[in-house]
Amino acid sequence: MGADRGRPPPIQQRTITARPSGVTEMPNYPPPAPAGSGLKPVPCSNVPGVIDVLTTRRDPYEKTAKRVAAMGPISGMNAFGIKIVNVSGAAGAQEILMNKDKAFANGPAWSFFIGPFFHRGVMLMDFDEHRYHRRILQAAFTPTALKGYLQEMQPVIAERVHQLPTGQVEMFSWIKQLTLDVALEVFLGVELPRAEADKLNKAFIDTVAAGTALVRHPVPGGRWWRGLRSRKVLEEFFYANIAAKRAHETPDLFSALCHAESEDGDRFTDEDVVNHMIFVLMAAHDTSTMTMSQMVYWTAKNPQWQDRAREQSLELEPEIGFDTLNRFTDLDLIMRESLRMCPPVPAMPRMALKDTEVQGYHIPEGSIVAVLQQTNHRDPAYFTNPDVFDPDRFSPERAEDRGHRMAWSPFGGGAHKCIGLHFGQMEIKTVMHRLLREFEWSVPDDYEVPMNYSALPVPKDNLPVFIHRR
């Protein structure tokens, strides 16, 4: 059965380019709603869009709260030559992410930010094409496949955790290195010299950072330029190894994608495999790192939760089975609350493919609509004392996340819900289980982690934590 069997034609993506510097931004946006539609026009700030974006990066929670207080849950801006509508609130998120009338698309929105670096990743596809690729990808994330990944990752995690130094450790950097090591073992199934592994790690960092470049042209030395060069590094690595993966099946994601086949017999081309590997490796590497960093931080600030989770881990063997994962109930509460406090992907952009509406507001065709889940996760309509770390809010007795299906949505929703969410949670719980069994950690009482929101949310200081071996 051929690799292209049943493949739908690629969906035409919109080409979006930033305006050259010095060009004034588009006036009169958003336009008035069509006469007689009964829709409200989206209110728009008179602050220049680029300034609005920069101030939001410094403190997205405070900035968004002020915007919502001044203009309501839906507001517009012009920035980088594009029209952006910011949408706060679970109800608006549901309309956009569930996308029942196919008014919104992932590809053209995400492509503006990361298209040159993660093109043809599954998140940048829509409708029939997206369904085609996701159906094949599912074969790499079945329970059987996940059990194999768990078996492969545990020796790596056990070794790296046991080598964790004591004293003050920059835990964000350490966790990032650990997730890279796990990715090399479980995703790639190859052993690399440290220099080559570090080269790949730097390439991933540069490709992710490029998506938030203010200068969106390949100016030598700039973020955009580094991202394009790093994409080539990743492509060269995967293409160099793909023949061996095609020839011999091994228990890793790279091999799984090379051999994945849908129920209809569809398989990926070499180009498909390379594109999906670059995207999936980025997504898993960064989101797991950010989530575990937040878990370490919050359990250092709230040692009673660290003790609760450790008590459960000590009841289990160091090496866990796939069926053991549901026994980490306290660790699961901590993970969910950490994802609420700081979702790794703070906003989800979509593009309006036609004039449409959200919550009674007129959304013009061509607008990028941003679902602000970092704001939604702190909505007092669903979460009591939303700025306070309180994992028990996810307990069966309180279940605050059940107030609305989109109140808590760190993995997105609808057709584009994260395909690797079960893998990510499995990796996170396995790492944290080992850490809890071997170590205790703390931070000074007055320490507050300084966050950098210019790309994905990361600690500016790499999260220095005091580590003590038990």
Side-chain angles (χ1 to χ4, degrees):
M1 298 182 182
D4 295 319
R5 181 184 180 278
R7 178 186 296 277
I11 289 177
Q12 186 67 37
Q13 302 288 350
R14 298 177 186 272
T15 300
I16 306 173
T17 55
R19 287 177 173 265
S21 59
V23 175
T24 57
E25 297 194 274
M26 295 172 288
N28 303 322
Y29 180 77
S37 68
L39 299 177
K40 296 174 285 187
V42 174
C44 191
S45 169
N46 58 8
V47 176
V50 173
I51 295 176
D52 216 354
V53 170
L54 293 175
T55 55
T56 300
R57 284 182 177 183
R58 284 199 290 271
D59 189 342
Y61 298 102
E62 180 180 1
K63 176 69 176 182
T64 304
K66 288 181 177 179
R67 183 190 296 127
V68 171
M71 292 184 285
I74 297 179
S75 60
M77 68 169 76
N78 290 307
F80 309 112
I82 58 173
K83 301 167 286 186
I84 301 175
V85 177
N86 294 302
V87 179
S88 297
Q94 178 167 317
E95 286 190 33
I96 295 164
L97 299 182
M98 300 311 292
N99 199 19
K100 290 184 178 180
D101 63 351
K102 296 185 178 180
F104 301 101
N106 251 35
W110 279 108
S111 292
F112 176 79
F113 299 102
I114 63 173
F117 319 107
F118 297 103
H119 64 272
R120 309 297 298 155
V122 68
M123 191 173 72
L124 279 69
M125 298 176 175
D126 290 288
F127 310 124
D128 289 344
E129 185 182 38
H130 173 258
R131 281 192 293 272
Y132 172 86
H133 281 258
R134 189 176 176 105
R135 188 170 62 242
I136 304 174
L137 276 169
Q138 291 284 6
F141 291 100
T142 63
T144 299
L146 292 174
K147 289 177 184 178
Y149 301 150
L150 179 61
Q151 185 175 353
E152 292 295 314
M153 74 170 62
Q154 291 202 71
V156 178
I157 292 172
E159 179 183 0
R160 298 299 187 273
V161 169
H162 190 68
Q163 294 171 350
L164 175 64
T166 56
Q168 190 176 63
V169 178
E170 292 185 348
M171 284 299 287
F172 179 79
S173 297
W174 182 84
I175 293 171
K176 193 169 185 64
Q177 185 62 62
L178 171 63
T179 58
L180 174 66
D181 291 340
V182 172
L184 294 176
E185 180 72 26
V186 179
F187 283 5
L188 308 188
V190 295
E191 292 187 14
L192 296 177
R194 175 51 58 188
E196 189 170 355
D198 290 343
K199 181 181 178 181
L200 285 179
N201 191 22
K202 185 176 186 304
F204 285 119
I205 293 171
D206 286 345
T207 38
V208 173
T212 59
L214 294 178
V215 179
R216 307 180 74 79
H217 299 281
V219 178
R223 278 190 180 186
W224 198 263
W225 176 82
R226 290 196 300 271
L228 293 173
R229 288 168 60 93
S230 295
R231 165 78 192 199
K232 291 181 180 178
V233 170
L234 299 177
E235 286 181 350
E236 289 170 359
F237 171 82
F238 286 113
Y239 277 119
N241 288 277
I242 200 166
K245 291 296 181 182
R246 291 281 197 199
H248 179 62
E249 198 163 355
T250 52
D252 53 81
L253 183 65
F254 193 2
S255 177
L257 293 188
C258 286
H259 298 274
E261 186 173 309
S262 73
E263 293 179 355
D264 297 327
D266 299 320
R267 299 181 66 180
F268 286 139
T269 65
D270 285 1
E271 184 180 5
D272 290 334
V273 172
V274 171
N275 289 332
H276 287 311
M277 280 302 303
I278 291 175
F279 175 77
V280 172
L281 192 53
M282 176 277 295
H285 183 214
D286 280 306
T287 56
S288 293
T289 297
M290 286 180 278
T291 302
M292 282 188 275
S293 297
Q294 289 292 312
M295 293 172 72
V296 167
Y297 169 67
W298 287 112
T299 51
K301 293 284 288 182
N302 299 269
Q304 73 278 14
W305 276 100
Q306 187 180 147
D307 293 340
R308 280 180 58 168
R310 180 175 295 108
E311 184 177 350
Q312 284 189 338
S313 281
L314 291 174
E315 293 173 354
L316 302 171
E317 294 298 321
E319 184 166 334
I320 59 176
F322 188 74
D323 296 333
T324 308
L325 295 170
N326 61 5
R327 296 177 61 183
F328 292 110
T329 54
D330 287 327
L331 194 56
D332 189 69
L333 296 177
I334 293 166
M335 180 182 68
R336 288 171 175 268
E337 178 69 341
S338 298
L339 285 166
R340 186 191 70 83
M341 296 291 287
C342 186
V345 182
M348 294 184 180
R350 302 288 191 269
M351 176 170 278
L353 300 179
K354 57 186 178 182
D355 282 2
T356 186
E357 63 176 290
V358 173
Q359 293 291 288
Y361 286 88
H362 171 59
I363 308 296
E365 177 184 355
S367 301
I368 286 186
V369 179
V371 177
L372 304 181
Q373 63 211 48
Q374 67 181 3
T375 305
N376 295 350
H377 283 188
R378 300 200 186 192
D379 189 341
Y382 302 104
F383 301 107
T384 57
N385 299 317
D387 295 328
V388 174
F389 180 78
D390 180 11
D392 269 332
R393 72 175 75 247
F394 290 92
S395 66
E397 294 77 19
R398 292 172 59 184
E400 292 184 0
D401 59 311
R402 302 296 179 89
H404 192 287
R405 66 187 301 180
M406 293 296 174
W408 182 81
S409 55
F411 306 106
H416 285 277
K417 190 170 185 178
C418 177
I419 195 171
L421 69 93
H422 296 298
F423 176 90
Q425 293 180 67
M426 181 176 73
E427 178 186 22
I428 290 165
K429 289 180 180 180
T430 305
V431 172
M432 295 301 299
H433 169 62
R434 288 281 183 170
L435 282 172
L436 288 163
R437 287 182 60 89
E438 292 200 39
F439 299 97
E440 297 176 0
W441 55 88
S442 61
V443 293
D445 291 342
D446 60 351
Y447 173 74
E448 301 288 340
V449 61
M451 296 298 294
N452 179 354
Y453 296 102
S454 65
L456 300 178
V458 299
K460 293 179 181 178
D461 59 357
N462 280 318
L463 186 61
V465 174
F466 292 98
I467 302 293
H468 313 274
R469 188 173 292 277
R470 297 187 67 252

